[in-house]
Amino acid sequence: MHPFPSRGVYAITDGPRNDLLDVTREALAGGARLLQYRDLSHDDARRHAEAHALKRLCDEYGVPLLINGDAALAQAVGAAGVHLGETAEELAGARERLGAQAIIGVSCFDSPERAQSMAKAGADYVSFGAFFPSPTLPHARVAPLQLLRQSAALGVPRVAIGGITPENGFALVDAGADYLAAISAVFGATDVRAATRRLGDLYRFSSDESHS
């Protein structure tokens, strides 16, 4: 498997925007440990070009790039992996396409059972959330904080997502979140670099460095 970076911010892009590369560079400069390209549009030519450009940028900073929901695009641009939201069959297909070294993560929402089955099926990380009201996913089910503690035995990194800010994120870090995934808290900020750094600082203040 592709080596995971140290715990910290998992920045997720927020769809088509003219300054995508500029703000992504700011997030990487602010210390983002993982980057996910999330663009749910159907403009394949633009998505391909942006993913290629983001791969070059991530390589410059030594940060793994994951593609949201599109293993074919991840393969085409040489991304580190893919983030999936669907089934074990999709996970198996992505693994076959991308190989053993790829990072494949899966959304598990508020379900410890799904997380267990996906980890057994070969997911490299599981994500839980939304933990807080999310402007990006306003109808997402709410995940309880104890889900992070309960899932420690899975043996894979755990990602927390959903309405996370520097003000509320420490509770998630303290509960065992290996990564804080953020869309609007990073890419909706006036100062993307500073916002990313503030989220990452929550790990510096964590008293427990054993969650990994």
Side-chain angles (χ1 to χ4, degrees), residues 74-96:
Q75 182 183 40
V77 303
V82 66
H83 181 85
L84 305 174
E86 298 303 324
T87 63
E89 289 76 19
E90 189 184 19
L91 194 161
R95 178 66 69 199
E96 185 175 353

Side-chain angles (χ1 to χ4, degrees), residues 1-5 34 64 66 80-83 95 98-105 124-125:
M1 189 191 70
H2 196 290
F4 269 92
L34 289 163
L66 280 74
V82 66
H83 181 85
R95 178 66 69 199
L98 299 177
Q101 296 302 309
I103 297 173
I104 300 180
D124 297 308
Y125 73 80

Side-chain angles (χ1 to χ4, degrees), residues 144-199:
L145 188 65
Q146 61 264 32
L147 187 54
L148 289 167
R149 294 191 174 94
Q150 293 167 352
S151 59
L154 289 176
V156 298
R158 290 152 293 152
V159 174
I161 193 169
I164 297 170
T165 67
E167 290 70 37
N168 63 28
F170 185 76
L172 301 172
V173 174
D174 196 51
D178 295 289
Y179 299 95
L180 297 180
I183 302 176
S184 56
V186 169
F187 291 107
T190 304
D191 187 334
V192 171
R193 186 183 303 203
T196 308
R197 189 174 293 123
R198 284 185 68 202
L199 276 172

Side-chain angles (χ1 to χ4, degrees), residues 64-75:
L65 171 68
L66 280 74
I67 306 295
N68 182 287
D70 193 336
L73 181 58
Q75 182 183 40

Side-chain angles (χ1 to χ4, degrees), residues 27-164:
L28 295 172
R33 304 295 191 190
L34 289 163
L35 182 79
Q36 182 186 131
Y37 177 52
R38 180 180 185 272
D39 185 321
L40 306 183
S41 73
H42 300 288
D43 186 343
D44 291 340
R46 180 181 50 75
R47 291 174 70 246
H48 196 278
E50 288 181 349
H52 258 299
L54 290 174
K55 172 65 166 61
R56 289 193 296 270
L57 191 56
C58 284
D59 286 350
E60 184 181 329
Y61 283 87
V63 171
L65 171 68
L66 280 74
I67 306 295
N68 182 287
D70 193 336
L73 181 58
Q75 182 183 40
V77 303
V82 66
H83 181 85
L84 305 174
E86 298 303 324
T87 63
E89 289 76 19
E90 189 184 19
L91 194 161
R95 178 66 69 199
E96 185 175 353
R97 178 186 285 270
L98 299 177
Q101 296 302 309
I103 297 173
I104 300 180
V106 182
S107 295
C108 295
F109 313 107
D110 60 348
S111 173
E113 296 81 12
R114 176 177 168 82
Q116 186 172 35
S117 68
M118 288 299 176
K120 284 183 178 178
D124 297 308
Y125 73 80
V126 294
S127 72
F128 295 113
F131 285 95
F132 306 106
S134 167
T136 306
L137 302 168
H139 304 297
R141 300 193 297 270
V142 175
L145 188 65
Q146 61 264 32
L147 187 54
L148 289 167
R149 294 191 174 94
Q150 293 167 352
S151 59
L154 289 176
V156 298
R158 290 152 293 152
V159 174
I161 193 169
I164 297 170

